[in-house]
Amino acid sequence: MSLEQFRRLRDFIYEKTGIYFPDSKLYFMERRLHQRMEALDIYDLNMYYSMLRYENNGGELQAFIELLTVNETYFFREFNQLKCFAEEVLPEIVRRERGPLTFWSAGCSTGEEAYTLAIILSEMLGPENLARCKIVATDIDNKVLAFARKGCYGDRSTRHLPAPYLERYFEKGGFELRVKDELRSLVEFRRMNLIDPDEMRDIRDVDVIFCRNVLIYFDDQSRRQVALDFYQSIKAGGYVFLGHSESMSRITSIFQLCRFQNAIIYQKQPAR
């Protein structure tokens, strides 16, 4: 694949998803491109590009995007942030809000983050407050969403789970652990493209957004668009958690930086 061909394909993927691949990713994309073309018995790059661009149902574009996205995660990842959520942010929100509580795992991958949030809510809240909680978990990749809905995980994903949580929230499923139904019922998985404003408008009145290690795959313009859409989705006083190496301040100034004991996160201006 020539640099010109890579850039044409790269720009098309960016247009559709907001995910940007710099020139240094040429060989990464080329390997996955060859893998997909061989599976379809196509040996002409222009023919495959035309299929991606003009296929009516978008199925092949979705398949190629799923090959390009990286999905490495595990339960209780970036523990200090989760401690901040559990011990500092969540009690404040429960005291302040009287109605339904919504938590959004944006870019949820195979579901470990969403189920981690469900465990935290179950541990920290009594039955009355837990009953008003909902977790919405979204991703652009249908395959990882199907995996997440099954809720079956191996040792690599569950290695940081305390033994009492394994006993309370998981059951044996062959060589894997399966999330129990009562925990799964807290989470709704949806396919969503974060740079599609129409899809983003479907989620409103969110109390906390977790979008960790997702925006690093976007360019500055797409990051800003996503941040603006998050601002519309979240309640006044709501919080956004990014990855520990990410900074909302470098994207936009519309969120306030908040320094808690266990983490630095971002808040939409509270109502006065």
PDB file of all heavy atoms in Angstrom, residues 7 163 180 225 228 231 267:
ATOM      1  N   ARG A   7      -3.303   7.231   2.907  1.00  0.00           N
ATOM      2  CA  ARG A   7      -3.942   8.477   3.333  1.00  0.00           C
ATOM      3  C   ARG A   7      -5.381   8.570   2.857  1.00  0.00           C
ATOM      4  O   ARG A   7      -6.245   9.095   3.572  1.00  0.00           O
ATOM      5  CB  ARG A   7      -3.124   9.669   2.824  1.00  0.00           C
ATOM      6  CG  ARG A   7      -1.817   9.847   3.600  1.00  0.00           C
ATOM      7  CD  ARG A   7      -0.944  10.928   3.016  1.00  0.00           C
ATOM      8  NE  ARG A   7       0.225  11.175   3.864  1.00  0.00           N
ATOM      9  CZ  ARG A   7       1.256  11.922   3.507  1.00  0.00           C
ATOM     10  NH1 ARG A   7       1.274  12.520   2.314  1.00  0.00           N
ATOM     11  NH2 ARG A   7       2.278  12.089   4.327  1.00  0.00           N
ATOM     12  N   ALA A 163     -11.334 -11.162  46.068  1.00  0.00           N
ATOM     13  CA  ALA A 163     -12.039 -12.447  46.188  1.00  0.00           C
ATOM     14  C   ALA A 163     -13.510 -12.288  46.591  1.00  0.00           C
ATOM     15  O   ALA A 163     -14.376 -12.980  46.027  1.00  0.00           O
ATOM     16  CB  ALA A 163     -11.299 -13.348  47.182  1.00  0.00           C
ATOM     17  N   LYS A 180     -23.045 -12.270  37.177  1.00  0.00           N
ATOM     18  CA  LYS A 180     -24.382 -12.693  37.586  1.00  0.00           C
ATOM     19  C   LYS A 180     -25.449 -11.758  37.024  1.00  0.00           C
ATOM     20  O   LYS A 180     -25.204 -10.573  36.784  1.00  0.00           O
ATOM     21  CB  LYS A 180     -24.474 -12.744  39.110  1.00  0.00           C
ATOM     22  CG  LYS A 180     -23.685 -13.899  39.726  1.00  0.00           C
ATOM     23  CD  LYS A 180     -23.886 -13.955  41.242  1.00  0.00           C
ATOM     24  CE  LYS A 180     -23.156 -15.141  41.848  1.00  0.00           C
ATOM     25  NZ  LYS A 180     -23.320 -15.205  43.321  1.00  0.00           N
ATOM     26  N   GLN A 225     -15.340  18.002  19.461  1.00  0.00           N
ATOM     27  CA  GLN A 225     -16.746  17.721  19.153  1.00  0.00           C
ATOM     28  C   GLN A 225     -17.343  16.770  20.185  1.00  0.00           C
ATOM     29  O   GLN A 225     -18.468  16.977  20.671  1.00  0.00           O
ATOM     30  CB  GLN A 225     -16.867  17.103  17.760  1.00  0.00           C
ATOM     31  CG  GLN A 225     -18.313  16.748  17.385  1.00  0.00           C
ATOM     32  CD  GLN A 225     -18.419  16.094  16.015  1.00  0.00           C
ATOM     33  OE1 GLN A 225     -17.634  16.395  15.114  1.00  0.00           O
ATOM     34  NE2 GLN A 225     -19.381  15.187  15.862  1.00  0.00           N
ATOM     35  N   LEU A 228     -17.922  18.591  23.493  1.00  0.00           N
ATOM     36  CA  LEU A 228     -19.108  19.453  23.425  1.00  0.00           C
ATOM     37  C   LEU A 228     -20.385  18.639  23.533  1.00  0.00           C
ATOM     38  O   LEU A 228     -21.361  19.052  24.183  1.00  0.00           O
ATOM     39  CB  LEU A 228     -19.094  20.269  22.132  1.00  0.00           C
ATOM     40  CG  LEU A 228     -17.992  21.327  22.022  1.00  0.00           C
ATOM     41  CD1 LEU A 228     -17.974  21.937  20.623  1.00  0.00           C
ATOM     42  CD2 LEU A 228     -18.174  22.420  23.070  1.00  0.00           C
ATOM     43  N   TYR A 231     -20.907  17.609  27.019  1.00  0.00           N
ATOM     44  CA  TYR A 231     -21.410  18.745  27.800  1.00  0.00           C
ATOM     45  C   TYR A 231     -22.937  18.848  27.694  1.00  0.00           C
ATOM     46  O   TYR A 231     -23.618  19.169  28.671  1.00  0.00           O
ATOM     47  CB  TYR A 231     -20.763  20.031  27.307  1.00  0.00           C
ATOM     48  CG  TYR A 231     -20.993  21.221  28.208  1.00  0.00           C
ATOM     49  CD1 TYR A 231     -20.183  21.439  29.323  1.00  0.00           C
ATOM     50  CD2 TYR A 231     -22.005  22.134  27.942  1.00  0.00           C
ATOM     51  CE1 TYR A 231     -20.383  22.524  30.155  1.00  0.00           C
ATOM     52  CE2 TYR A 231     -22.218  23.232  28.762  1.00  0.00           C
ATOM     53  CZ  TYR A 231     -21.406  23.424  29.870  1.00  0.00           C
ATOM     54  OH  TYR A 231     -21.610  24.500  30.699  1.00  0.00           O
ATOM     55  N   GLN A 267     -15.740  18.684  35.673  1.00  0.00           N
ATOM     56  CA  GLN A 267     -17.129  18.885  36.069  1.00  0.00           C
ATOM     57  C   GLN A 267     -17.799  19.937  35.199  1.00  0.00           C
ATOM     58  O   GLN A 267     -17.203  20.967  34.873  1.00  0.00           O
ATOM     59  CB  GLN A 267     -17.208  19.320  37.548  1.00  0.00           C
ATOM     60  CG  GLN A 267     -18.633  19.429  38.078  1.00  0.00           C
ATOM     61  CD  GLN A 267     -18.673  19.890  39.528  1.00  0.00           C
ATOM     62  OE1 GLN A 267     -17.825  20.678  39.965  1.00  0.00           O
ATOM     63  NE2 GLN A 267     -19.644  19.402  40.282  1.00  0.00           N
TER      64      GLN A 267
END
